[in-house]
Amino acid sequence: MTDSSKSKAFYGTVIQSKSLSELAIIENALILVDGTGTISAFEADVPKNEVIQRLESLCTSEYKLTELCKGQFIMPGFVDTHNHAPQWLHRGQGQGLHILQWLDQVAFLNESLFKDLNHARRVYPLVVRGMLRQGVTTASYYGSLHGEATNILADTCLELGQRALIGKCNMARNAPDFYRDASVEESLQVTRDCIKHIKNLDPNGELIRHVLTPRFAICCDEALLKGLGEIAQENPTMAIQTHFDESEQEKNFTMSLFPQFSNEADLYEEYNLLNERSILAHCTIMTEYETRRLQELDCGVAHCPTSNMTVGGGFMAAPIQEFLRLGIKVGLGTDSGGGYSISMLNAMRHAMITSFARDFLDKSDGRAAVSLEQVFHMATIGGARVVGFGDKVGDFKAGKHFDALLIDVSDSRGGITAPLEENDTLRTMLEKFIMTGDDRNVARVYVRGLLVHSS
C-alpha cells in the first residue's frame, strides 16, 4: 500500500453509474483527490489544454497528475457484498453438491482449520491481496467462528488498505463437533470481543466495520438469535449479514427447526435481525410476502449468481429484476467458495445470464432480464448501499472517498479477449472489459485515495 498526503488528479475517461438504467461515460473528466483521499472536485468536459489551469485554480497544494491514455478509464471500485474469507483455499471443490451436503463435506472442515492462527496469518493476506487484484475495494466478509482468526482478518484488511465489513460467524448447532461454538454464551461473548477489537482498530468505521454474522438460522437456536438481536439493538448502525432463502433444501430445514414461523422473513424479524442494515445473501426462493417485507424494511440483497448456479439444489436464479423494480437495494456477491470465482466481472456476467434464463423459463417477455447498466450499478454504487457505505463510495461525487479502479484494455495488457478496434466507442470499450476482460486489465486499485494494488 502506497501512502501519500499529496493531492492526486486524474484526467481522462471516467465511467460510473448514473442510475439503474443509465451509465455516465465522460471522455474528458477531471477528478481531484485531496490528501485525505476525499474527492474535492469532479469536472466534466475539460479540454486538455485547460487541465493545468483548472488544477491550479482548484488546488493550492502540490498534486500528482495522472493522464489516461487511449484504452484506459477510471471507474468506481467493485463492492463484493458476500464473501467467505476462510473458504479461499477450497473454492471450486464440491461443485454440484446440494448446499447442506457441501457445507458438511467441504466447507466446515476447511473453515475449522482457522483455529490455527498461523493458518489464518498465512491465508488471510492471500485473500485480501487476491481480492484487491480483482478490483474489489470493499468486501463484506464472513469470518470463521474463531474470534482471534477473525481479528487477524480485520488486521489484515486494515494493513493492506481494503475497505471491509468483517464478522465472526455464529453457529452453535447443526455443525460438526469440531466446528461449532461451544455454547450460545461463548458465541455471543466472542462476538462482543470481535466488535471491541474492530472498533479499536478503526473507531469511526471509516474502512473497517464489524458485521453481525449469524451463518443462518439452521446453525442458530432461538437463544443465539435473540442474543444477536440484542447486540444489533445495542449497535444501531452495525450491519447484519446472513443467508436467506438460499435453496429449497435450506428453506425446508429452517422451517422444520422453527415451526412457529411460516417464512424466513418473519423469523429473522422476530429476533430483530431484519432491517435497513441487513445484508441478505441469495434470496432465490421468495414468497410475495417475503419480498414485500424486504421492501418495507429496506433490507439489502446480496445477489450471488455464480454460486446459485454451481452449488446444486435446483434452478436458484433470484428474481433480481423484481427486486429492482420494487426499489430493494441489490448488490453482487462472489460467495466464494460456494462460488468458484472471486471475479466480480464473472458475477456481473452470470447475473445477466441467469436473468435471461429466468426470463425464458418464466415466460416473462423480458421483464426478468437485467441489463449491463443494472449489473454495473449493482457491482458499484448498488453494492455500496447494500453494505452501508453508500454515503462514502460507489461513485465520484465530490465529498466521497476515492475508491477507484484504473482499467487498461490496451493490447499491451493482455487479459481482454476482444481487443479494441480503432473506431470502438467508449461504451464498446466498457462492454469488452466487462464481458471479456479479467484482473490483468485492472492496472491500479485505489482505496480512499491510496494505491493499494498495481500491476
Side-chain angles (χ1 to χ4, degrees):
M1 181 171 62
T2 301
D3 192 2
S4 175
S5 59
K6 183 188 295 185
S7 295
K8 300 177 180 68
F10 300 85
Y11 177 72
T13 298
V14 172
I15 302 176
Q16 61 181 336
S17 178
K18 192 171 182 179
S19 69
L20 274 167
S21 60
E22 187 176 0
L23 295 169
I25 302 177
I26 306 163
E27 186 169 9
N28 298 307
L30 180 64
I31 302 176
L32 183 62
V33 182
D34 68 20
T36 71
T38 302
I39 299 168
S40 56
F42 180 98
E43 297 195 359
D45 302 318
V46 179
K48 186 172 183 178
N49 61 358
E50 296 180 12
V51 170
I52 301 302
Q53 179 184 348
R54 292 298 303 136
L55 284 174
E56 290 177 350
S57 68
L58 291 167
C59 187
T60 58
S61 61
E62 188 179 3
Y63 63 84
K64 179 181 179 181
L65 173 63
T66 298
E67 291 192 54
L68 276 60
C69 304
K70 183 178 175 61
Q72 295 181 333
F73 62 93
I74 295 281
M75 63 168 284
F78 290 130
V79 179
D80 187 340
T81 61
H82 184 67
N83 184 283
H84 291 267
Q87 295 180 6
W88 182 260
L89 295 180
H90 66 266
R91 285 172 291 125
Q93 297 180 35
Q95 300 292 287
L97 290 171
H98 284 218
I99 183 62
L100 299 183
Q101 285 70 42
W102 181 82
L103 289 170
D104 286 336
Q105 296 178 36
V106 180
F108 288 157
L109 175 62
N110 283 277
E111 289 188 25
S112 73
L113 301 177
F114 285 81
K115 180 179 181 180
D116 179 352
L117 300 187
N118 288 326
H119 183 72
R121 293 188 187 100
R122 178 177 70 87
V123 175
Y124 281 150
L126 301 177
V127 175
V128 177
R129 289 193 180 100
M131 295 285 277
L132 289 172
R133 186 176 69 246
Q134 296 289 337
V136 177
T137 53
T138 300
S140 188
Y141 286 124
Y142 284 58
S144 65
L145 62 76
H146 313 103
E148 290 183 80
T150 302
N151 292 343
I152 289 170
L153 175 59
D155 296 343
T156 304
C157 289
L158 189 64
E159 178 186 353
L160 297 180
Q162 188 180 45
R163 194 180 300 272
L165 281 72
I166 298 160
K168 169 255 186 298
C169 202
N170 300 102
M171 40 189 299
R173 65 170 178 173
N174 289 319
D177 291 341
F178 62 81
Y179 190 58
R180 66 179 177 216
D181 294 315
S183 67
V184 167
E185 292 73 23
E186 182 204 51
S187 187
L188 295 172
Q189 184 56 54
V190 174
T191 298
R192 292 183 184 277
D193 292 343
C194 286
I195 291 171
K196 182 178 179 181
H197 179 86
I198 290 172
K199 284 188 174 180
N200 286 338
L201 280 181
D202 190 351
N204 296 320
E206 293 292 330
L207 280 181
I208 310 297
R209 299 175 183 176
H210 185 271
V211 52
L212 285 174
T213 308
R215 187 174 203 119
F216 52 6
I218 289 171
C219 284
C220 301
D221 61 15
E222 293 182 43
L224 184 50
L225 291 175
K226 182 176 182 292
L228 291 171
E230 290 171 354
I231 294 176
Q233 290 179 300
E234 294 166 9
N235 296 272
T237 62
M238 187 179 293
I240 305 158
Q241 63 182 359
T242 194
H243 298 80
F244 191 93
D245 284 358
E246 181 173 2
S247 71
E248 186 175 11
Q249 183 189 51
E250 172 267 330
K251 191 166 187 173
N252 289 341
F253 191 18
T254 300
M255 293 300 96
S256 73
L257 295 170
F258 295 89
Q260 68 272 40
F261 299 102
S262 62
N263 62 82
E264 292 195 13
D266 287 345
L267 190 166
Y268 287 107
E269 187 178 3
E270 172 68 21
Y271 296 105
N272 298 303
L273 296 170
L274 208 63
N275 55 43
E276 75 283 354
R277 296 173 279 133
S278 300
I279 306 166
L280 305 177
H282 306 297
C283 300
T284 64
I285 304 175
M286 300 283 288
T287 65
E288 183 179 344
Y289 171 79
E290 288 176 308
T291 299
R292 186 169 69 252
R293 290 306 291 149
L294 265 58
Q295 177 193 29
E296 292 166 349
L297 295 168
D298 195 25
C299 301
V301 172
H303 178 38
C304 306
T306 303
S307 65
N308 291 156
M309 300 305 294
T310 52
V311 175
F315 183 67
M316 300 187 295
I320 295 304
Q321 190 63 268
E322 180 182 358
F323 295 157
L324 295 176
R325 278 197 296 269
L326 292 172
I328 295 173
K329 297 174 296 191
V330 182
L332 293 179
T334 58
D335 191 24
S336 71
Y340 64 87
S341 171
I342 58 169
S343 168
M344 287 293 289
L345 291 172
N346 274 344
M348 296 167 77
R349 297 163 189 162
H350 295 163
M352 288 190 283
I353 291 167
T354 56
S355 77
F356 302 154
R358 183 172 189 121
D359 184 69
F360 174 77
L361 293 174
D362 292 350
K363 298 183 174 19
S364 54
D365 296 327
R367 293 192 303 277
V370 300
S371 65
L372 183 136
E373 286 83 0
Q374 289 172 321
V375 296
F376 188 92
H377 185 277
M378 289 187 280
T380 55
I381 183 61
R385 290 170 180 163
V386 167
V387 300
F389 273 111
D391 61 333
K392 300 286 187 183
V393 300
D395 56 30
F396 298 125
K397 291 178 182 175
K400 286 193 170 185
H401 294 168
F402 186 70
D403 285 19
L405 312 180
L406 195 163
I407 303 300
D408 188 341
V409 295
S410 60
D411 289 344
S412 61
R413 297 292 301 184
I416 192 167
T417 58
L420 286 186
E421 300 270 46
E422 183 64 30
N423 295 324
D424 280 347
T425 66
L426 297 178
R427 164 70 187 226
T428 299
M429 176 177 67
L430 176 66
E431 290 179 346
K432 287 185 173 182
F433 167 63
I434 291 175
M435 300 309 298
T436 77
D438 62 30
D439 59 296
R440 288 171 290 180
N441 301 114
V442 181
R444 297 187 203 170
V445 180
Y446 296 89
V447 176
R448 205 176 181 186
L450 296 181
L451 180 64
V452 294
H453 172 77
S454 62
S455 63

